[in-house]
Amino acid sequence: MNNIKIFTEENYSELSRRSAQIIKTQLDAKPASVLGLATGSTPIGTYEELVRLYKAGELDFSQVTTFNLDEYFPIAKASDQSYVFFMRKHLFDFINIPDEKINIPNGEATNHAAECDEYEKKIAASGIDLQLLGIGNNGHIAFNEPADYFPSVTHYVKLDDTTIKANSRFFQNENEVPRHALTMGIKTIMQAKKILLLASGAGKAEILCEAIFGTITPKNPASVLQLHHDVTIITDKEAGNLLIPRQ
Ligand code: GLP
């Protein structure tokens, strides 16, 4: 387990502060870092803290490149449910990252296979220095759902019923949740130099514990992180309830 550092924080604000500090350390060391970014409710506090640090003059994103993990498919970029919209709302509209350095899978692409191929090639060309991750209730990372094998590269995926249900809280009703998405694959994620996984709330405690200490299996996609050489996990008290903190 030397490859996994676990921080169990008192609450969500502390989790978010620690997470933003780790990203700041990365950017201080390498201002032209390539960051892999995540959506979902868990990283919102981290993004708020990054915006605060930027406004305080402690962070500069002018040389940063970002790759988001995933996007619904199909979805209009202008839709308030798109991950393009989410990233603008929570981060990009408030920092000095140049538009051309922002990468998010195109939910409007006419050919999803070509879009995935192009996205994967673009990531491969620059590599990812630090990949931020959340974890789904079913152990998914990005939109890599539990399966019989670990999906490799960026691909088109059918969402699990459990994911559709979980994400319906952001939509008017469950029927509006797109049934498909474009997502980085497990290999894409595993090639990042460093991984930072955030988990908040009691609902994530069991799946996270199984992912870190249980069998490595595509039935719990996050379990593959046991094979990565540099993973930091930050939880709040509830999500870290079943883990042994190492601070
Ligand atoms: C979403 C995203 C994931 C995210 C996960 C957890 O569906 N595709 O990248 O980690 O679900 O979301 P939350 O943080 O809201 O629990």
Side-chain angles (χ1 to χ4, degrees), residues 10-153:
E10 197 51 34
N11 53 44
Y12 180 69
S13 325
E14 295 296 319
L15 175 164
S16 302
R17 252 197 293 277
R18 170 136 1 227
S19 158
Q21 277 307 321
I22 290 174
I23 295 170
K24 179 176 175 347
T25 303
Q26 172 67 39
L27 298 189
D28 288 347
K30 185 179 173 189
S33 288
V34 181
L35 300 179
L37 297 179
T39 53
S41 45
T42 315
I44 290 176
T46 301
Y47 295 150
E48 278 170 9
E49 183 62 10
L50 290 177
V51 169
R52 191 190 68 74
L53 289 168
Y54 168 71
K55 287 187 172 159
E58 292 183 44
L59 270 181
D60 171 28
F61 292 88
S62 61
Q63 298 180 62
V64 171
T65 297
T66 61
F67 285 94
N68 263 78
L69 284 168
D70 47 18
E71 175 61 285
Y72 291 116
F73 192 92
I75 198 156
K77 289 180 191 171
S79 156
D80 58 4
Q81 305 297 351
S82 77
Y83 286 168
V84 169
F85 188 93
F86 175 100
M87 290 308 299
R88 291 214 164 281
K89 178 173 167 201
H90 293 290
L91 184 66
F92 296 150
D93 279 354
F94 307 101
I95 60 172
N96 65 335
I97 184 165
D99 271 356
E100 64 277 12
K101 289 182 180 283
I102 295 171
N103 298 282
I104 301 179
N106 182 5
E108 296 178 353
T110 42
N111 180 337
H112 57 71
E115 169 62 19
C116 290
D117 208 36
E118 204 181 300
Y119 200 69
E120 185 71 22
K121 282 195 185 122
K122 217 167 169 190
I123 295 172
S126 62
I128 290 176
D129 293 301
L130 177 65
Q131 176 66 59
L132 184 62
L133 290 179
I135 179 170
N137 296 327
N138 59 3
H140 76 213
I141 47 178
F143 271 133
N144 292 281
E145 301 284 24
D148 294 332
Y149 61 94
F150 287 114
S152 167
V153 293

Side-chain angles (χ1 to χ4, degrees), residues 165-181:
K165 207 176 253 335
N167 289 6
S168 66
R169 69 190 194 276
F170 301 113
F171 292 77
Q172 298 274 12
N173 61 60
E174 214 175 299
N175 291 334
E176 285 190 13
V177 186
R179 268 36 189 173
H180 294 86

